[in-house]
Amino acid sequence: MILWSSGFIGAELGTAYTSANTLLGWRYVVAVVILGLWCWFRGLRPTWTSVRRQVVLGFFCQFLYLACIFAGVAAGVPAGTSALIAAMQPLVVAALSTRLLGERFGRERAVAMAVGFGGVILVVAGDLGGGSAAWPAYLLPVVGMLSLSVGTVLERRMQTNDPIPLAMFVQGAVAATLFMAWNVVTDDVAPPMTSGFWVAVGWLVVLSTFGAYGVYLFVVRRRGATTASSLLLLTPATTMVWAFLMFDAPITWLAVIGASVVCAREYIARCTFALTRREAPRPSRPIARR
């Protein structure tokens, strides 16, 4: 989850020079140009069916998710509260996947998820509350969390088989169009001509868009929506370490304990998954008769 956490660090870098809306708009413009050139060079062409599907996924997973998260932070919602709400996403995805996708979610996985969520609470405990936002603003990160959950389940349910760069190009084009339209309405289109801003844009494009979201789509397709979402529980702890290394943000002992709980939970879950795969009965091969 190092790549996924890079988005929060990139936001901290970029918003020092401009608003979050301008940063998001130019992030997706640059990403779409690069992805479009790559798809053209590789001969990747989407069908109308795939375009319709990826437009829906781009709206939920790219535009609505990030717009609500950033709008909530801008309205005064504390970062720890936003991280805690975002950590509920694996629970929502697990519930939706059980109903809509038929994925198994046994008691052991439920307990492991609850332990991981408890660790997240410890990590962000020092940043909970104390915000200046009115109570309706706290609905924004909730809507963002739900939108990513819905998009993750829809991606799995649609069983899209488009190449990941092509899927990211269409989804990114949707996000770039909507964010830049938003910036036109708010008269906040022009980017600041400073090297720091473009470094932040490059950071977000390479690490957060190509790296984080590309890997996320890969895991969703290979391992399922629930497994991919459960990895997001590591995001607050990873972001805490990044912020300490880059911005000298303080780390409390309570946060260290919480991060240890989350990491231990993920390690045990991975070991249990590997053991289950080894012990699964293999299909018997028919014996040839003479």
Side-chain angles (χ1 to χ4, degrees):
M1 281 297 100
I2 294 177
L3 291 174
W4 193 272
S5 303
S6 66
F8 298 94
I9 304 301
E12 184 75 18
L13 293 172
T15 52
Y17 302 95
T18 186
S19 65
N21 299 335
T22 304
L23 177 64
L24 288 170
W26 285 102
R27 163 192 175 177
Y28 279 105
V29 167
V30 173
V32 166
V33 170
I34 297 175
L35 287 169
L37 292 175
W38 174 261
C39 292
W40 182 268
F41 176 76
R42 300 290 297 179
L44 303 177
R45 304 291 186 272
T47 63
W48 282 112
T49 301
S50 65
V51 168
R52 289 195 297 269
R53 292 176 176 176
Q54 297 301 335
V55 165
V56 173
L57 296 176
F59 175 77
F60 283 106
C61 296
Q62 303 275 8
F63 172 73
L64 189 58
Y65 167 63
L66 289 175
C68 291
I69 293 296
F70 277 81
V73 173
V77 178
T81 303
S82 298
L84 185 61
I85 294 173
M88 296 174 63
Q89 194 247 4
L91 305 176
V92 176
V93 169
L96 293 176
S97 299
T98 303
R99 289 282 186 177
L100 302 178
L101 304 179
E103 293 187 4
R104 297 181 59 187
F105 191 70
R107 183 179 302 175
E108 294 81 4
R109 296 187 69 179
V111 172
M113 198 79 74
V115 171
F117 185 70
V120 172
I121 294 177
L122 295 178
V123 172
V124 303
D127 198 27
L128 292 177
S132 59
W135 71 265
Y138 288 86
L139 297 177
L140 291 170
V142 173
V143 174
M145 178 270 296
L146 292 176
S147 67
L148 181 60
S149 302
V150 170
T152 300
V153 175
L154 283 177
E155 207 284 334
R156 186 68 170 177
R157 184 176 178 83
M158 291 177 179
Q159 296 183 347
T160 57
N161 55 1
D162 303 311
I164 289 180
L166 186 61
M168 293 175 60
F169 167 73
V170 178
Q171 294 184 26
V174 173
T177 302
L178 294 176
F179 277 122
M180 292 307 286
W182 186 350
N183 292 335
V184 169
V185 172
T186 58
D187 194 19
D188 199 16
V189 178
M193 293 304 170
T194 59
S195 59
F197 171 78
W198 293 109
V199 167
V201 169
W203 175 289
L204 290 171
V205 168
V206 175
L207 296 181
S208 304
T209 303
F210 298 161
Y213 192 66
V215 172
Y216 185 74
L217 284 180
F218 177 80
V219 176
V220 168
R221 295 182 180 185
R222 292 291 298 271
R223 299 281 295 275
T226 303
T227 301
S229 298
S230 66
L231 294 173
L232 298 185
L233 290 172
L234 294 169
T235 302
T238 310
T239 306
M240 175 187 68
V241 177
W242 275 68
F244 171 75
L245 295 176
M246 297 191 64
F247 308 119
D248 198 23
I251 298 179
T252 64
W253 282 108
L254 190 62
V256 173
I257 295 173
S260 302
V261 170
V262 176
C263 293
R265 174 262 167 199
E266 191 62 32
Y267 176 76
I268 294 173
R270 297 281 79 79
C271 293
T272 303
F273 176 78
L275 182 62
T276 303
R277 291 190 61 182
R278 286 199 300 266
E279 293 180 353
R282 297 181 179 179
S284 59
R285 297 180 179 177
I287 301 175
R289 296 183 179 178
R290 293 183 181 179

